[in-house]
Amino acid sequence: MPIVKYRRATEPLWREWDGKAQKCGLRHTVYAVNGDQYTGEWLDNLKHGKGTQVWKRTGAIYSGDWKFGKRDGYGSYSIPDPVTKEYKKVYTGWWKNDRKCGYGATFYPGGERYEGEWSGGLRSGWGRMYYQDGSIYEGQWLVDRPGGQGMLRLPNENRYEGGWKDGKKHGPGKFFYLDKGQLFEGIWAADIPKCGILIDFGRDEAPAPTQYPIPKV
C-alpha cells in the first residue's frame, strides 16, 4: 500500500518574529526608535516590575518600580550636570501613575531641597523645605505651596508660626522677633499683618533688643 506524505503546515515567518518580539519578563536593554533605552522587567509589552530607563535627549535616568508602562512604586530620578556630566539626584521617593506621589525628597538647583509628601507631582500634605537663603519652612502644603498650618524659620532665627494660604502668611499667627526680644501675635492676610499685639518676649536674652521696653497694658 503506497504511503502518502502530506506537507507539514508551516506558520508564516512574521508570526515567529512577532512571537520573539513580545516582551514579557526580564529583558536586556531594549532601545526605542528615539534612542531611549530601558533595561528591566516587562509584562505584555509594557514596563512592569523593576527597571531602569535612560532618556537620550536629556540623559536623565530613572531606576525603580514600574507598573503597566509608568513609574509606579519607589524609585529615583537623576539628571547629568551640564558642566561636570556627573549625575545628580533630582527626586528619590514614591511614584504613582508616572508622577511623584507619597513621601519623597526633591533636590533643586542652588542647594534647595524638599522632604515630605506629594500628590499628583505637586507638594501636598506635610513637608519641610530648605531654601537657598537658609530659611526653613515646615508644615502643610497644598498645590505646591505652603497652605494650612506651618512654621517658617529665618536665617537669623526669627520665625513665624501660624496659618498659610497660597504660599503666604494668612490667618491667625505669631511672629517671634528673637533678635529684638519681641513677639507679634495677630491676624495676617496675604503676608501682611492686619491687626494684633506686640509684646516683649525674651528681651533680656535678645542679641539686639530695642532701646526701650514696651510698656505693659
Side-chain angles (χ1 to χ4, degrees):
M1 181 177 179
I3 298 175
V4 180
K5 294 184 178 180
Y6 296 95
R7 295 185 62 182
R8 183 178 298 177
T10 58
E11 291 187 345
L13 192 58
W14 68 266
R15 192 182 297 274
E16 179 184 352
W17 291 345
D18 184 64
K20 292 180 179 180
Q22 299 300 309
K23 295 181 284 293
C24 188
L26 181 63
R27 286 293 184 97
H28 293 297
T29 304
V30 175
Y31 293 87
V33 176
N34 61 3
D36 296 347
Q37 60 187 66
Y38 171 81
T39 305
E41 297 176 304
W42 297 78
L43 180 64
D44 295 333
N45 280 330
L46 295 174
K47 302 161 192 169
H48 191 89
K50 301 287 185 181
T52 299
Q53 169 90 15
V54 181
W55 287 269
K56 181 179 180 181
R57 185 177 65 84
T58 62
I61 293 180
Y62 170 80
S63 181
D65 297 325
W66 296 78
K67 187 175 181 180
F68 301 119
K70 295 182 179 181
R71 291 169 288 188
D72 200 300
Y74 189 85
S76 62
Y77 180 78
S78 305
I79 60 173
D81 186 275
V83 179
T84 64
K85 304 303 179 182
E86 294 182 357
Y87 276 92
K88 294 184 177 181
K89 283 188 178 180
V90 175
Y91 176 77
T92 300
W94 292 91
W95 302 72
K96 186 176 180 63
N97 198 28
D98 221 31
R99 294 184 177 183
K100 304 168 189 172
C101 188
Y103 189 87
T106 293
F107 304 88
Y108 299 91
E112 295 185 341
R113 77 178 189 274
Y114 170 82
E115 301 172 356
E117 297 175 315
W118 297 78
S119 179
L122 302 176
R123 292 169 289 187
S124 293
W126 179 92
R128 184 187 295 116
M129 181 74 189
Y130 298 85
Y131 295 96
Q132 190 173 9
D133 64 357
S135 301
I136 301 174
Y137 172 81
E138 182 174 358
Q140 294 175 307
W141 293 75
L142 183 64
V143 195
D144 220 36
R145 294 181 179 182
Q149 294 295 310
M151 179 186 72
L152 176 66
R153 188 168 73 237
L154 303 176
N156 61 1
E157 297 301 325
N158 290 349
R159 70 178 186 271
Y160 168 82
E161 299 177 3
W164 295 80
K165 183 179 179 181
D166 296 330
K168 297 180 179 180
K169 306 177 190 71
H170 194 89
K174 299 178 181 179
F175 200 107
F176 296 84
Y177 296 92
L178 300 182
D179 58 339
K180 298 184 180 299
Q182 295 179 330
L183 165 65
F184 176 83
E185 183 174 1
I187 304 297
W188 301 69
D191 250 359
I192 300 174
K194 294 297 184 178
C195 63
I197 58 173
L198 183 67
I199 62 174
D200 284 332
F201 181 85
R203 177 181 172 81
D204 296 336
E205 297 82 18
T210 54
Q211 185 176 359
Y212 303 104
I214 298 175
K216 294 182 179 181
V217 178

